[in-house]
PDB file of all heavy atoms in Angstrom:
ATOM      1  N   SER A   7       3.061   0.066  -4.212  1.00 98.00           N
ATOM      2  CA  SER A   7       2.908  -1.070  -5.129  1.00 98.00           C
ATOM      3  C   SER A   7       4.023  -2.083  -4.717  1.00 98.00           C
ATOM      4  O   SER A   7       5.118  -2.032  -5.273  1.00 98.00           O
ATOM      5  CB  SER A   7       2.957  -0.712  -6.530  1.00 98.00           C
ATOM      6  OG  SER A   7       2.780  -1.762  -7.393  1.00 98.00           O
ATOM      7  N   GLY A   8       3.806  -2.950  -3.734  1.00 98.00           N
ATOM      8  CA  GLY A   8       4.777  -3.694  -2.929  1.00 98.00           C
ATOM      9  C   GLY A   8       5.303  -4.973  -3.533  1.00 98.00           C
ATOM     10  O   GLY A   8       5.483  -5.879  -2.859  1.00 98.00           O
ATOM     11  N   THR A   9       5.691  -4.897  -4.812  1.00 98.00           N
ATOM     12  CA  THR A   9       6.569  -6.034  -5.393  1.00 98.00           C
ATOM     13  C   THR A   9       7.566  -5.461  -6.319  1.00 98.00           C
ATOM     14  O   THR A   9       7.270  -4.647  -7.148  1.00 98.00           O
ATOM     15  CB  THR A   9       5.710  -7.122  -6.002  1.00 98.00           C
ATOM     16  OG1 THR A   9       6.624  -8.113  -6.426  1.00 98.00           O
ATOM     17  CG2 THR A   9       4.778  -6.668  -7.033  1.00 98.00           C
ATOM     18  N   SER A  10       8.793  -5.982  -6.334  1.00 97.00           N
ATOM     19  CA  SER A  10       9.810  -5.602  -7.303  1.00 97.00           C
ATOM     20  C   SER A  10       9.723  -6.520  -8.632  1.00 97.00           C
ATOM     21  O   SER A  10      10.481  -6.254  -9.545  1.00 97.00           O
ATOM     22  CB  SER A  10      11.169  -5.679  -6.677  1.00 97.00           C
ATOM     23  OG  SER A  10      11.471  -7.039  -6.217  1.00 97.00           O
ATOM     24  N   LYS A  12       9.129  -7.815 -12.101  1.00 95.00           N
ATOM     25  CA  LYS A  12       8.948  -7.243 -13.360  1.00 95.00           C
ATOM     26  C   LYS A  12       7.584  -7.829 -13.885  1.00 95.00           C
ATOM     27  O   LYS A  12       7.341  -8.982 -13.757  1.00 95.00           O
ATOM     28  CB  LYS A  12      10.010  -7.490 -14.304  1.00 95.00           C
ATOM     29  CG  LYS A  12      11.438  -7.021 -13.775  1.00 95.00           C
ATOM     30  CD  LYS A  12      11.438  -5.524 -13.391  1.00 95.00           C
ATOM     31  CE  LYS A  12      12.788  -5.204 -12.887  1.00 95.00           C
ATOM     32  NZ  LYS A  12      12.786  -4.091 -11.953  1.00 95.00           N
ATOM     33  N   ASP A  38       6.521   2.847  -6.763  1.00 98.00           N
ATOM     34  CA  ASP A  38       6.592   1.499  -7.595  1.00 98.00           C
ATOM     35  C   ASP A  38       7.810   0.739  -7.078  1.00 98.00           C
ATOM     36  O   ASP A  38       8.946   1.191  -7.192  1.00 98.00           O
ATOM     37  CB  ASP A  38       6.862   1.926  -9.035  1.00 98.00           C
ATOM     38  CG  ASP A  38       6.705   0.664  -9.994  1.00 98.00           C
ATOM     39  OD1 ASP A  38       6.875  -0.392  -9.433  1.00 98.00           O
ATOM     40  OD2 ASP A  38       6.655   0.969 -11.135  1.00 98.00           O
ATOM     41  N   PHE A  39       7.555  -0.329  -6.426  1.00 98.00           N
ATOM     42  CA  PHE A  39       8.620  -1.213  -5.827  1.00 98.00           C
ATOM     43  C   PHE A  39       9.513  -1.872  -6.883  1.00 98.00           C
ATOM     44  O   PHE A  39      10.385  -2.605  -6.489  1.00 98.00           O
ATOM     45  CB  PHE A  39       8.040  -2.209  -4.852  1.00 98.00           C
ATOM     46  CG  PHE A  39       7.712  -1.620  -3.428  1.00 98.00           C
ATOM     47  CD1 PHE A  39       7.227  -0.310  -3.312  1.00 98.00           C
ATOM     48  CD2 PHE A  39       8.112  -2.351  -2.374  1.00 98.00           C
ATOM     49  CE1 PHE A  39       6.924   0.134  -2.003  1.00 98.00           C
ATOM     50  CE2 PHE A  39       7.792  -1.892  -1.101  1.00 98.00           C
ATOM     51  CZ  PHE A  39       7.311  -0.624  -0.936  1.00 98.00           C
ATOM     52  N   ARG A  40       9.222  -1.631  -8.151  1.00 98.00           N
ATOM     53  CA  ARG A  40      10.144  -2.216  -9.184  1.00 98.00           C
ATOM     54  C   ARG A  40      11.549  -1.570  -9.101  1.00 98.00           C
ATOM     55  O   ARG A  40      12.452  -2.100  -9.660  1.00 98.00           O
ATOM     56  CB  ARG A  40       9.484  -2.166 -10.649  1.00 98.00           C
ATOM     57  CG  ARG A  40       8.348  -3.139 -10.787  1.00 98.00           C
ATOM     58  CD  ARG A  40       7.739  -3.031 -12.144  1.00 98.00           C
ATOM     59  NE  ARG A  40       7.062  -1.754 -12.262  1.00 98.00           N
ATOM     60  CZ  ARG A  40       6.389  -1.373 -13.307  1.00 98.00           C
ATOM     61  NH1 ARG A  40       6.166  -2.224 -14.346  1.00 98.00           N
ATOM     62  NH2 ARG A  40       5.839  -0.217 -13.336  1.00 98.00           N
ATOM     63  N   SER A  41      11.580  -0.375  -8.416  1.00 97.00           N
ATOM     64  CA  SER A  41      12.928   0.196  -8.166  1.00 97.00           C
ATOM     65  C   SER A  41      13.428  -0.093  -6.816  1.00 97.00           C
ATOM     66  O   SER A  41      14.359   0.546  -6.329  1.00 97.00           O
ATOM     67  CB  SER A  41      12.900   1.679  -8.373  1.00 97.00           C
ATOM     68  OG  SER A  41      11.810   2.168  -9.038  1.00 97.00           O
ATOM     69  N   TYR A  42      12.793  -0.996  -6.100  1.00 98.00           N
ATOM     70  CA  TYR A  42      13.093  -1.343  -4.653  1.00 98.00           C
ATOM     71  C   TYR A  42      14.570  -1.658  -4.539  1.00 98.00           C
ATOM     72  O   TYR A  42      15.051  -2.452  -5.213  1.00 98.00           O
ATOM     73  CB  TYR A  42      12.289  -2.564  -4.360  1.00 98.00           C
ATOM     74  CG  TYR A  42      12.307  -2.957  -2.905  1.00 98.00           C
ATOM     75  CD1 TYR A  42      11.372  -2.528  -2.002  1.00 98.00           C
ATOM     76  CD2 TYR A  42      13.268  -3.909  -2.483  1.00 98.00           C
ATOM     77  CE1 TYR A  42      11.407  -2.894  -0.544  1.00 98.00           C
ATOM     78  CE2 TYR A  42      13.272  -4.374  -1.124  1.00 98.00           C
ATOM     79  CZ  TYR A  42      12.381  -3.771  -0.193  1.00 98.00           C
ATOM     80  OH  TYR A  42      12.342  -4.287   1.048  1.00 98.00           O
ATOM     81  N   ASP A  43      15.166  -1.094  -3.497  1.00 97.00           N
ATOM     82  CA  ASP A  43      16.602  -1.323  -3.230  1.00 97.00           C
ATOM     83  C   ASP A  43      16.943  -1.411  -1.737  1.00 97.00           C
ATOM     84  O   ASP A  43      18.135  -1.291  -1.357  1.00 97.00           O
ATOM     85  CB  ASP A  43      17.499  -0.320  -3.931  1.00 97.00           C
ATOM     86  CG  ASP A  43      17.252   1.098  -3.399  1.00 97.00           C
ATOM     87  OD1 ASP A  43      16.460   1.259  -2.412  1.00 97.00           O
ATOM     88  OD2 ASP A  43      17.847   2.035  -3.853  1.00 97.00           O
ATOM     89  N   LEU A  44      16.004  -1.758  -0.907  1.00 97.00           N
ATOM     90  CA  LEU A  44      16.270  -1.863   0.530  1.00 97.00           C
ATOM     91  C   LEU A  44      16.956  -3.160   0.705  1.00 97.00           C
ATOM     92  O   LEU A  44      16.673  -4.220   0.177  1.00 97.00           O
ATOM     93  CB  LEU A  44      14.970  -1.977   1.390  1.00 97.00           C
ATOM     94  CG  LEU A  44      14.416  -0.623   1.747  1.00 97.00           C
ATOM     95  CD1 LEU A  44      12.967  -0.754   2.202  1.00 97.00           C
ATOM     96  CD2 LEU A  44      15.241   0.075   2.769  1.00 97.00           C
ATOM     97  N   PRO A  45      18.157  -3.091   1.389  1.00 96.00           N
ATOM     98  CA  PRO A  45      18.943  -4.389   1.633  1.00 96.00           C
ATOM     99  C   PRO A  45      18.216  -5.338   2.533  1.00 96.00           C
ATOM    100  O   PRO A  45      17.318  -4.861   3.275  1.00 96.00           O
ATOM    101  CB  PRO A  45      20.281  -3.901   2.223  1.00 96.00           C
ATOM    102  CG  PRO A  45      19.922  -2.636   2.928  1.00 96.00           C
ATOM    103  CD  PRO A  45      18.783  -1.995   2.082  1.00 96.00           C
ATOM    104  N   PHE A  46      18.481  -6.574   2.460  1.00 95.00           N
ATOM    105  CA  PHE A  46      17.903  -7.503   3.431  1.00 95.00           C
ATOM    106  C   PHE A  46      18.136  -7.101   4.845  1.00 95.00           C
ATOM    107  O   PHE A  46      19.268  -6.716   5.269  1.00 95.00           O
ATOM    108  CB  PHE A  46      18.504  -8.945   3.136  1.00 95.00           C
ATOM    109  CG  PHE A  46      17.960  -9.962   4.137  1.00 95.00           C
ATOM    110  CD1 PHE A  46      16.579 -10.474   4.043  1.00 95.00           C
ATOM    111  CD2 PHE A  46      18.714 -10.425   5.097  1.00 95.00           C
ATOM    112  CE1 PHE A  46      16.127 -11.393   4.905  1.00 95.00           C
ATOM    113  CE2 PHE A  46      18.217 -11.352   6.025  1.00 95.00           C
ATOM    114  CZ  PHE A  46      16.875 -11.868   5.883  1.00 95.00           C
ATOM    115  N   PHE A  47      17.104  -7.099   5.713  1.00 94.00           N
ATOM    116  CA  PHE A  47      17.224  -6.571   7.021  1.00 94.00           C
ATOM    117  C   PHE A  47      18.032  -7.557   7.881  1.00 94.00           C
ATOM    118  O   PHE A  47      17.615  -8.696   8.064  1.00 94.00           O
ATOM    119  CB  PHE A  47      15.853  -6.418   7.629  1.00 94.00           C
ATOM    120  CG  PHE A  47      15.952  -5.715   9.034  1.00 94.00           C
ATOM    121  CD1 PHE A  47      16.320  -4.442   9.234  1.00 94.00           C
ATOM    122  CD2 PHE A  47      15.552  -6.534  10.057  1.00 94.00           C
ATOM    123  CE1 PHE A  47      16.401  -3.933  10.494  1.00 94.00           C
ATOM    124  CE2 PHE A  47      15.641  -5.994  11.329  1.00 94.00           C
ATOM    125  CZ  PHE A  47      16.039  -4.685  11.533  1.00 94.00           C
ATOM    126  N   THR A  58      18.798   6.452  -0.995  1.00 97.00           N
ATOM    127  CA  THR A  58      18.702   6.248  -2.514  1.00 97.00           C
ATOM    128  C   THR A  58      17.524   6.984  -3.031  1.00 97.00           C
ATOM    129  O   THR A  58      16.651   7.318  -2.277  1.00 97.00           O
ATOM    130  CB  THR A  58      18.651   4.788  -2.826  1.00 97.00           C
ATOM    131  OG1 THR A  58      17.468   4.306  -2.332  1.00 97.00           O
ATOM    132  CG2 THR A  58      19.905   4.042  -2.281  1.00 97.00           C
ATOM    133  N   PHE A  60      14.902   5.729  -4.536  1.00 98.00           N
ATOM    134  CA  PHE A  60      13.758   4.920  -4.168  1.00 98.00           C
ATOM    135  C   PHE A  60      13.351   5.169  -2.737  1.00 98.00           C
ATOM    136  O   PHE A  60      12.234   5.425  -2.435  1.00 98.00           O
ATOM    137  CB  PHE A  60      14.004   3.444  -4.338  1.00 98.00           C
ATOM    138  CG  PHE A  60      12.900   2.633  -3.819  1.00 98.00           C
ATOM    139  CD1 PHE A  60      11.614   2.435  -4.560  1.00 98.00           C
ATOM    140  CD2 PHE A  60      12.950   2.008  -2.584  1.00 98.00           C
ATOM    141  CE1 PHE A  60      10.602   1.796  -3.914  1.00 98.00           C
ATOM    142  CE2 PHE A  60      11.967   1.215  -1.987  1.00 98.00           C
ATOM    143  CZ  PHE A  60      10.800   1.148  -2.716  1.00 98.00           C
ATOM    144  N   ARG A  61      14.297   5.154  -1.792  1.00 97.00           N
ATOM    145  CA  ARG A  61      14.056   5.228  -0.365  1.00 97.00           C
ATOM    146  C   ARG A  61      13.568   6.680  -0.114  1.00 97.00           C
ATOM    147  O   ARG A  61      12.673   6.855   0.781  1.00 97.00           O
ATOM    148  CB  ARG A  61      15.311   4.951   0.382  1.00 97.00           C
ATOM    149  CG  ARG A  61      15.607   3.408   0.359  1.00 97.00           C
ATOM    150  CD  ARG A  61      16.889   3.103   1.150  1.00 97.00           C
ATOM    151  NE  ARG A  61      17.583   2.003   0.470  1.00 97.00           N
ATOM    152  CZ  ARG A  61      18.846   1.719   0.588  1.00 97.00           C
ATOM    153  NH1 ARG A  61      19.560   2.420   1.446  1.00 97.00           N
ATOM    154  NH2 ARG A  61      19.400   0.716  -0.036  1.00 97.00           N
ATOM    155  N   LEU A  64      10.022   6.850  -1.236  1.00 98.00           N
ATOM    156  CA  LEU A  64       9.111   6.083  -0.338  1.00 98.00           C
ATOM    157  C   LEU A  64       8.918   6.802   0.981  1.00 98.00           C
ATOM    158  O   LEU A  64       7.767   7.039   1.405  1.00 98.00           O
ATOM    159  CB  LEU A  64       9.793   4.705   0.012  1.00 98.00           C
ATOM    160  CG  LEU A  64       9.154   3.825   1.046  1.00 98.00           C
ATOM    161  CD1 LEU A  64       7.812   3.451   0.723  1.00 98.00           C
ATOM    162  CD2 LEU A  64      10.032   2.716   1.409  1.00 98.00           C
ATOM    163  N   PRO A  87       8.007 -10.475   0.065  1.00 96.00           N
ATOM    164  CA  PRO A  87       9.151 -10.204   0.987  1.00 96.00           C
ATOM    165  C   PRO A  87       9.639  -8.738   0.992  1.00 96.00           C
ATOM    166  O   PRO A  87      10.207  -8.303   2.056  1.00 96.00           O
ATOM    167  CB  PRO A  87      10.249 -11.132   0.343  1.00 96.00           C
ATOM    168  CG  PRO A  87       9.747 -11.553  -0.973  1.00 96.00           C
ATOM    169  CD  PRO A  87       8.251 -11.293  -1.025  1.00 96.00           C
ATOM    170  N   GLU A  88       9.383  -7.951  -0.070  1.00 98.00           N
ATOM    171  CA  GLU A  88       9.825  -6.508  -0.077  1.00 98.00           C
ATOM    172  C   GLU A  88       9.049  -5.812   1.051  1.00 98.00           C
ATOM    173  O   GLU A  88       9.614  -5.047   1.778  1.00 98.00           O
ATOM    174  CB  GLU A  88       9.475  -5.896  -1.443  1.00 98.00           C
ATOM    175  CG  GLU A  88      10.353  -6.360  -2.540  1.00 98.00           C
ATOM    176  CD  GLU A  88       9.729  -7.617  -3.275  1.00 98.00           C
ATOM    177  OE1 GLU A  88       8.793  -8.287  -2.680  1.00 98.00           O
ATOM    178  OE2 GLU A  88      10.102  -8.003  -4.368  1.00 98.00           O
ATOM    179  N   LEU A  89       7.688  -6.061   1.218  1.00 98.00           N
ATOM    180  CA  LEU A  89       6.956  -5.428   2.245  1.00 98.00           C
ATOM    181  C   LEU A  89       7.373  -5.841   3.670  1.00 98.00           C
ATOM    182  O   LEU A  89       7.466  -5.087   4.564  1.00 98.00           O
ATOM    183  CB  LEU A  89       5.469  -5.621   1.984  1.00 98.00           C
ATOM    184  CG  LEU A  89       4.945  -4.809   0.854  1.00 98.00           C
ATOM    185  CD1 LEU A  89       3.428  -5.205   0.563  1.00 98.00           C
ATOM    186  CD2 LEU A  89       4.976  -3.312   1.039  1.00 98.00           C
ATOM    187  N   ALA A  90       7.631  -7.170   3.838  1.00 97.00           N
ATOM    188  CA  ALA A  90       8.058  -7.581   5.144  1.00 97.00           C
ATOM    189  C   ALA A  90       9.350  -7.022   5.523  1.00 97.00           C
ATOM    190  O   ALA A  90       9.519  -6.465   6.630  1.00 97.00           O
ATOM    191  CB  ALA A  90       8.154  -9.054   5.119  1.00 97.00           C
ATOM    192  N   ASN A  91      10.344  -6.845   4.533  1.00 97.00           N
ATOM    193  CA  ASN A  91      11.616  -6.294   4.812  1.00 97.00           C
ATOM    194  C   ASN A  91      11.450  -4.811   5.049  1.00 97.00           C
ATOM    195  O   ASN A  91      12.144  -4.185   5.946  1.00 97.00           O
ATOM    196  CB  ASN A  91      12.504  -6.566   3.598  1.00 97.00           C
ATOM    197  CG  ASN A  91      13.827  -6.187   3.726  1.00 97.00           C
ATOM    198  OD1 ASN A  91      14.516  -6.545   4.707  1.00 97.00           O
ATOM    199  ND2 ASN A  91      14.508  -5.456   2.825  1.00 97.00           N
ATOM    200  N   MET A  92      10.591  -4.038   4.352  1.00 97.00           N
ATOM    201  CA  MET A  92      10.361  -2.669   4.563  1.00 97.00           C
ATOM    202  C   MET A  92       9.867  -2.378   5.967  1.00 97.00           C
ATOM    203  O   MET A  92      10.301  -1.482   6.678  1.00 97.00           O
ATOM    204  CB  MET A  92       9.320  -2.188   3.467  1.00 97.00           C
ATOM    205  CG  MET A  92       8.926  -0.686   3.727  1.00 97.00           C
ATOM    206  SD  MET A  92       7.506  -0.224   2.796  1.00 97.00           S
ATOM    207  CE  MET A  92       6.202  -0.930   3.886  1.00 97.00           C
ATOM    208  N   ALA A  93       8.858  -3.291   6.403  1.00 97.00           N
ATOM    209  CA  ALA A  93       8.328  -3.062   7.754  1.00 97.00           C
ATOM    210  C   ALA A  93       9.421  -3.289   8.757  1.00 97.00           C
ATOM    211  O   ALA A  93       9.382  -2.510   9.830  1.00 97.00           O
ATOM    212  CB  ALA A  93       7.214  -4.033   8.025  1.00 97.00           C
ATOM    213  N   HIS A  95      12.659  -2.625   8.405  1.00 96.00           N
ATOM    214  CA  HIS A  95      13.611  -1.391   8.394  1.00 96.00           C
ATOM    215  C   HIS A  95      12.877  -0.168   8.958  1.00 96.00           C
ATOM    216  O   HIS A  95      13.587   0.579   9.645  1.00 96.00           O
ATOM    217  CB  HIS A  95      13.909  -1.126   6.931  1.00 96.00           C
ATOM    218  CG  HIS A  95      15.133  -1.895   6.411  1.00 96.00           C
ATOM    219  ND1 HIS A  95      16.385  -1.718   6.871  1.00 96.00           N
ATOM    220  CD2 HIS A  95      15.135  -2.875   5.450  1.00 96.00           C
ATOM    221  CE1 HIS A  95      17.169  -2.553   6.290  1.00 96.00           C
ATOM    222  NE2 HIS A  95      16.508  -3.243   5.422  1.00 96.00           N
TER     223      HIS A  95
END
Side-chain angles (χ1 to χ4, degrees):
S7 182
T9 178
S10 60
K12 305 302 179 209
D38 187 346
F39 277 41
R40 289 178 294 184
S41 350
Y42 186 91
D43 63 4
L44 278 165
F46 179 73
F47 183 72
T58 63
F60 171 80
R61 293 178 214 162
L64 171 65
E88 295 90 344
L89 288 172
N91 193 46
M92 178 195 77
H95 277 291

